[in-house]
Amino acid sequence: VQLKTPHMRPPLKQKEPPRFPKIITTEWSKYSRRTGVMGRKVGMLHFFTDDGIAIPTTAIVIERNHVITVDPPQLNTTTGCWSMHIGAGFRRPSQVAKNQRFHCAKVGVETKERYTSFQVTADAVLPVGHLLSVEHFVVGQKIDVLGRTRGKGFQGVMKRWGFKGHRATLGSRLHRVAGSIGSKAGVLKGRKMAGNMGNSKRCSHNLPILHIDAEKNVMFVKGSVIGPAGCWVKVRDSKFNHVRMLRVGPRPPFP
């Protein structure tokens, strides 16, 4: 039998986070954060107003967005936000990994093409298997669209950073090279040199929604959106327009 000595103390038990939020409200608050959706960029077109003014517009299709899993906030985080995993699109089960097929079958939805996650507050948690459509947003609301830029591959300093270059005369042997990097200790961090260009994450902020087609599940956003036609983008409520939306509007459905 193992005896407990005075200097030995039992280990502290950590409190496990709740699996579901205790407080569920249906009203907006200053700190409420909803989930976003995933859409496919179709392309750009002109949107004509009643006065005949042409506005450059981007069409985004919201394809089969379902809530796959909901994870509670972790113990080491201070935000207290829940992680909501969203699946979008459709892909044949033979082309999907086994663990993804298991999660989709457990929820009761078809296998998805893309998966992503959004951080939401406890009052905006949606049930597993919930369908998200383009009616998750309203006309006049400002949104943020996240995507990846076009990949340009390995490029030199003139195309990547806009360097002037050297002399283009016949006798010169240096035309498009970078030249001296100005450091004896080696390459310093952040030095502009040749390398991979594009294929980086970017976000377009405060894009207003001009029109929503609920039958075809398409939204028309003013301005350009990151990425080529056919790419996947993440659409969420604008972070810089949240307080103004609560005061002036328009307010999208909550949660």
Side-chain angles (χ1 to χ4, degrees):
V1 179
Q2 185 179 2
L3 300 177
K4 293 184 178 180
T5 57
H7 65 276
M8 294 179 60
R9 295 182 178 179
L12 298 177
K13 295 183 179 180
Q14 297 181 352
K15 296 183 179 180
E16 296 183 357
R19 295 301 303 176
F20 294 96
K22 296 181 180 180
I23 302 176
I24 299 177
T25 59
T26 57
E27 297 181 358
W28 277 97
S29 65
K30 182 179 179 180
Y31 305 100
S32 298
R33 293 295 182 271
R34 299 192 312 159
T35 181
V37 297
M38 288 199 71
R40 191 189 297 272
K41 178 181 175 181
V42 179
M44 297 194 66
L45 68 158
H46 286 296
F47 182 83
F48 292 92
T49 60
D50 297 336
D51 301 333
I53 300 176
I55 302 176
T57 310
T58 304
I60 302 175
V61 181
I62 309 301
E63 298 181 359
R64 303 182 182 182
N65 281 249
H66 286 89
V67 180
I68 305 299
T69 56
V70 178
D71 295 335
Q74 299 181 359
L75 296 175
N76 55 357
T77 58
T78 58
T79 58
C81 291
W82 293 61
S83 180
M84 187 173 297
H85 300 270
I86 306 296
F90 171 74
R91 179 169 288 181
R92 289 182 296 177
S94 60
Q95 299 177 348
V96 180
K98 185 176 181 181
N99 58 344
Q100 296 178 358
R101 294 199 305 266
F102 170 77
H103 286 295
C104 293
K106 186 178 180 181
V107 179
V109 298
E110 67 273 7
T111 51
K112 300 298 181 178
E113 182 178 353
R114 286 299 179 93
Y115 299 88
T116 186
S117 62
F118 293 93
Q119 299 295 319
V120 301
T121 52
D123 56 351
V125 175
L126 296 174
V128 176
H130 182 76
L131 175 63
L132 295 169
S133 63
V134 72
E135 296 180 349
H136 189 65
F137 304 94
V138 294
V139 178
Q141 178 188 356
K142 292 187 177 181
I143 57 176
D144 295 341
V145 182
L146 297 85
R148 281 189 172 272
T149 58
R150 292 176 179 266
K152 305 289 185 178
F154 191 92
Q155 299 296 333
V157 292
M158 293 185 66
K159 181 174 182 178
R160 190 184 184 192
W161 302 109
F163 281 16
K164 179 182 178 181
H166 296 271
R167 298 176 62 183
T169 56
L170 181 62
S172 176
R173 297 184 179 181
L174 303 176
H175 302 288
R176 302 180 65 88
V177 298
S180 176
I181 61 175
S183 177
K184 296 182 180 180
V187 181
L188 298 178
K189 188 176 181 179
R191 177 66 62 184
K192 296 180 179 180
M193 300 179 69
N196 186 41
M197 182 179 178
N199 194 24
S200 57
K201 294 182 179 180
R202 292 292 182 269
C203 179
S204 300
H205 298 280
N206 287 342
L207 300 180
I209 300 177
L210 300 179
H211 181 66
I212 288 179
D213 191 348
E215 295 181 359
K216 298 181 180 180
N217 233 7
V218 182
M219 68 167 58
F220 298 91
V221 182
K222 181 180 179 181
S224 61
V225 170
I226 297 298
C231 69
W232 285 94
V233 294
K234 296 173 63 175
V235 183
R236 69 185 183 192
D237 299 334
S238 177
K239 289 188 175 181
F240 300 99
N241 198 55
H242 184 72
V243 179
R244 179 178 176 82
M245 178 192 65
L246 297 179
R247 294 178 180 178
V248 182
R251 292 190 180 187
F254 185 81

